[in-house]
């Protein structure tokens, strides 16, 4: 809803299918349903239930704070503001936003698992760091796929650009393009009128594709995940579930990008 999206996972968005009232109410309900299972869980003692509840609340707050930053950038996106933001470590701040918005859920799950397994603080923090690195890397890969026309991509190609969203890939493209092309991408990104034109959005997509940002960001995402995976492997004992988790994460970060 906040992204004005038409598709999610290849299907029409719920708010378009069933209306804003139903979709918002359903989404909010999903926040509360896990608490029912948590407090009725027969294998968790009261201390663990309370700790997991605290983690859930922290996760919800982090995710919404991350989304708040994302909304702020889109809401106040102008060439002047963008120039100021880019001179103030914008790319690092986008990754921090991903840490909150995208990685909150993964970090929360890792921390909950650590509480249930009663592991020491070192293993718990290693698991949280591993989850963070994977989730941020996955968001970068998701940004990359936003510029794919592949039928396997289950959203609208160029949706981030047409919605005026500052993603890591777009920020890198602006930095990598030569001055005239960089200014043109900024002009498209910051203009609501230009973003309504399909031909101009296609021009912006090609600017991003030709900037080298897609290839660079794909390598960064892989390195980010692999580096943390190495530390994870040193701390967490080897076992079949760990191997399966590593394989799953690597596969999700290696999804083919097709133009």
């Amino acid at each position: 809803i906040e992204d004005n999206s038409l598709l999610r996972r290849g299907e029409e968005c719920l708010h378009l299918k069933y209306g804003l009232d139903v979709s918002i109410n359903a989404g909010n309900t999903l926040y509360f349903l896990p608490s029912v299972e948590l407090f009725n869980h027969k294998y968790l003692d009261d201390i663990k239930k309370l700790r997991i509840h605290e983690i859930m609340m922290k996760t919800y707050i982090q995710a919404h704070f991350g989304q708040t930053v994302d909304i702020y950038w889109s809401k106040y996106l102008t060439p002047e503001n963008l120039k100021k933001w880019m001179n103030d470590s914008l790319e690092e701040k986008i990754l921090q936003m991903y840490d909150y918005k995208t990685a909150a859920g993964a970090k929360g799950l890792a921390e909950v698992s650590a509480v249930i397994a009663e592991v020491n603080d070192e293993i718990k923090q290693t698991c949280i760091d591993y989850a963070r690195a994977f989730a941020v890397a996955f968001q970068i890969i998701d940004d990359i796929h936003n510029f794919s026309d592949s039928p396997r991509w289950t959203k609208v190609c160029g949706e981030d650009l047409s919605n005026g969203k500052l993603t890591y890939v777009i920020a890198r493209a602006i930095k990598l393009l030569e001055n005239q092309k960089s200014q043109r991408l900024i002009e498209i990104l910051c203009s609501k009128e230009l973003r309504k034109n399909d031909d101009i959005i296609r021009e912006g997509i090609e600017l991003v594709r030709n900037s080298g940002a897609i290839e660079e960001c794909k390598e960064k995402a892989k390195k980010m995940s692999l580096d943390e995976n190495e530390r994870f492997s040193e701390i967490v004992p080897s076992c079949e579930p760990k191997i399966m988790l590593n394989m799953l994460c690597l596969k999700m970060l290696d999804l083919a990008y097709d133009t």
Side-chain angles (χ1 to χ4, degrees):
I1 295 170
E2 291 175 358
D3 293 342
N4 295 314
S5 295
L6 303 176
L7 297 174
R8 273 296 184 270
R9 293 166 183 83
E11 296 186 9
E12 187 179 27
C13 288
L14 292 182
H15 64 285
L16 301 177
K17 267 188 175 181
Y18 305 109
L20 284 172
D21 50 359
V22 172
S23 57
I24 291 174
N25 192 63
N28 287 345
T29 302
L30 289 175
Y31 282 118
F32 306 120
L33 288 179
S35 293
V36 176
E37 292 298 314
L38 173 63
F39 291 118
N40 291 326
H41 204 292
K42 62 182 180 179
Y43 296 116
L44 295 173
D45 60 35
D46 288 343
I47 293 176
K48 284 185 178 178
K49 287 179 181 179
L50 178 59
R51 181 66 190 120
I52 291 170
H53 182 70
E54 290 173 343
I55 294 168
M56 287 168 59
M57 294 303 106
K58 179 177 68 175
T59 297
Y60 295 161
I61 291 169
Q62 275 197 1
H64 280 76
F65 279 178
Q67 183 72 354
T68 298
V69 174
D70 199 13
I71 291 170
Y72 175 84
W73 284 333
S74 295
K75 200 173 184 67
Y76 296 100
L77 185 62
T78 64
E80 295 75 24
N81 281 340
L82 181 54
K83 182 178 179 181
K84 180 172 65 175
W85 298 337
M86 293 196 74
N87 288 331
D88 189 25
S89 307
L90 176 64
E91 293 163 52
E92 288 77 7
K93 289 180 178 178
I94 291 175
L95 294 179
Q96 176 63 61
M97 183 264 286
Y98 289 171
D99 186 347
Y100 272 48
K101 173 185 170 181
T102 309
K107 291 186 296 182
L109 284 172
E111 192 170 359
V112 166
S113 299
V115 168
I116 293 172
E118 299 179 347
V119 300
N120 61 44
D121 288 344
E122 182 185 29
I123 292 179
K124 180 183 77 171
Q125 190 58 52
T126 300
C127 292
I128 292 171
D129 291 343
Y130 179 78
R132 175 191 293 110
F134 165 73
V136 172
F138 185 80
Q139 181 62 64
I140 294 173
I141 295 296
D142 192 70
D143 295 346
I144 291 170
H145 279 259
N146 199 267
F147 294 93
S148 170
D149 286 322
S150 169
R152 287 180 290 180
W153 170 244
T154 57
K155 302 178 190 176
V156 178
C157 179
E159 182 181 73
D160 289 340
L161 190 60
S162 61
N163 287 332
K165 292 179 70 67
L166 265 176
T167 69
Y168 189 76
V169 171
I170 291 175
R172 285 304 301 153
I174 291 171
K175 276 280 185 73
L176 291 170
L177 287 166
E178 61 184 55
N179 187 56
Q180 188 175 357
K181 292 180 178 179
S182 178
Q183 291 303 314
R184 178 57 174 167
L185 182 56
I186 290 172
E187 183 183 11
I188 294 170
L189 180 67
C190 295
S191 172
K192 291 182 180 179
E193 290 303 313
L194 290 179
R195 297 198 314 261
K196 292 177 183 177
N197 187 304
D198 290 341
D199 291 335
I200 293 177
I201 288 298
R202 175 56 58 180
E203 178 189 353
I205 290 170
E206 291 305 318
L207 284 170
V208 173
R209 286 177 177 173
N210 295 330
S211 68
I214 287 174
E215 295 76 15
E216 180 189 282
C217 290
K218 188 172 184 178
E219 288 304 311
K220 182 177 182 66
K222 282 188 176 181
K223 185 177 187 307
M224 183 184 300
S225 182
L226 288 171
D227 285 352
E228 199 56 53
N229 180 54
E230 186 175 335
R231 179 168 172 266
F232 180 74
S233 297
E234 292 173 355
I235 302 297
V236 178
S238 181
C239 58
E240 185 177 347
K242 176 186 169 186
I243 294 170
M244 292 173 67
L245 175 64
N246 287 343
M247 291 176 65
L248 173 65
C249 291
L250 288 172
K251 179 62 177 175
M252 292 182 72
L253 293 176
D254 196 34
L255 296 173
Y257 170 77
D258 301 316
T259 57

